[in-house]
Amino acid sequence: APFTDGPYHGPISPGGFRSVGSVHQITGISGTTLTFDPPTRMEYDYYSKADGTTQLNPQVWRVSRRGTDGLWWFGLEQMSIAGPQNGAIIYHVGAFDWVKDVETDGQNNGGISNDHVRLEHQFRSEVRRVYAHHTSGGPYSGGANYGINLNAYTSDCLVIDSISTYMNKPMQTNNAGPGNVFAYNYVDNTSANG
């Protein structure tokens, strides 16, 4: 089924929300066998029932195909963004994308009430030297006021050398996949309870 059959967490599931997932690049198809990079990091034996059967029902869904949809090898560099209420930078579906040397200012031009930088269904993308500061709602909880957010099975991405201040959740993963790295970042002036 194509990606558009359901919400951003994947196709509509008769059994409910899919809490375990990851994004991979398919490197080969032979009959009904897929080869992908990197190999899965899911330990399916860990999720086995006492009788030895698995509790998981692994499925494969196409999220993006190079040249047809999604962002591939796309980057934003050396810019300052002030304002957009519902998020400053949102990369939805893609691979090998980047945000580099960017400032997102949530205090001016109406403020930012959602994510400053959000990656959804991304693979091997990078956020480097981003300065994300302030939100229109301040550093208080309530389902918004996020800085850098890796979301919706985003896998194997790097967030490095970035600063996020005056947020409720300055840097987070939200139902992200495996292999993501947050390295050499700085977070300050945050509050979980206002």
Side-chain angles (χ1 to χ4, degrees):
F3 175 76
T4 55
D5 283 354
Y8 67 89
H9 291 292
I12 296 169
S13 172
F17 184 73
R18 291 180 171 87
S19 62
V20 178
S22 58
V23 178
H24 301 270
Q25 182 177 15
I26 296 174
T27 58
I29 301 174
S30 177
T32 59
T33 302
L34 296 177
T35 305
F36 47 84
D37 178 44
T40 184
R41 294 181 180 101
M42 307 293 177
E43 292 290 335
Y44 290 106
D45 294 345
Y46 176 78
Y47 296 101
S48 293
K49 295 180 184 177
D51 65 2
T53 62
T54 185
Q55 297 180 49
L56 298 179
N57 180 19
Q59 298 175 350
V60 176
W61 297 95
R62 181 184 67 80
V63 174
S64 176
R65 189 177 341 188
R66 187 176 185 179
T68 61
D69 53 12
L71 293 171
W72 286 71
W73 299 101
F74 177 84
L76 291 175
E77 297 185 11
Q78 300 178 346
M79 61 186 337
S80 181
I81 300 171
Q85 266 292 316
N86 293 318
I89 300 169
I90 301 171
Y91 284 5
H92 181 71
V93 181
F96 311 106
D97 300 322
W98 66 93
V99 178
K100 181 179 174 185
D101 298 321
V102 170
E103 174 192 13
T104 56
D105 177 356
Q107 211 170 21
N108 295 304
N109 199 29
I112 298 171
S113 63
N114 212 327
D115 303 303
H116 280 247
V117 177
R118 180 171 69 226
L119 304 183
E120 294 182 343
H121 287 293
Q122 285 284 315
F123 177 70
R124 292 189 176 155
S125 294
E126 184 175 298
V127 176
R128 181 181 292 269
R129 291 190 302 272
V130 167
Y131 176 40
H133 60 93
H134 297 89
T135 64
S136 59
Y140 309 112
S141 60
N145 307 321
Y146 302 152
I148 299 169
N149 183 2
L150 304 186
N151 194 358
Y153 310 143
T154 290
S155 303
D156 293 292
C157 290
L158 175 64
V159 177
I160 188 166
D161 199 21
S162 294
I163 298 170
S164 188
T165 63
Y166 296 99
M167 310 276 175
N168 171 243
K169 294 171 184 71
M171 294 186 187
Q172 72 167 359
T173 61
N174 182 3
N175 200 43
N180 296 304
V181 174
F182 287 80
Y184 308 106
N185 297 296
Y186 178 77
V187 170
D188 199 4
N189 296 308
T190 181
S191 174
N193 58 13

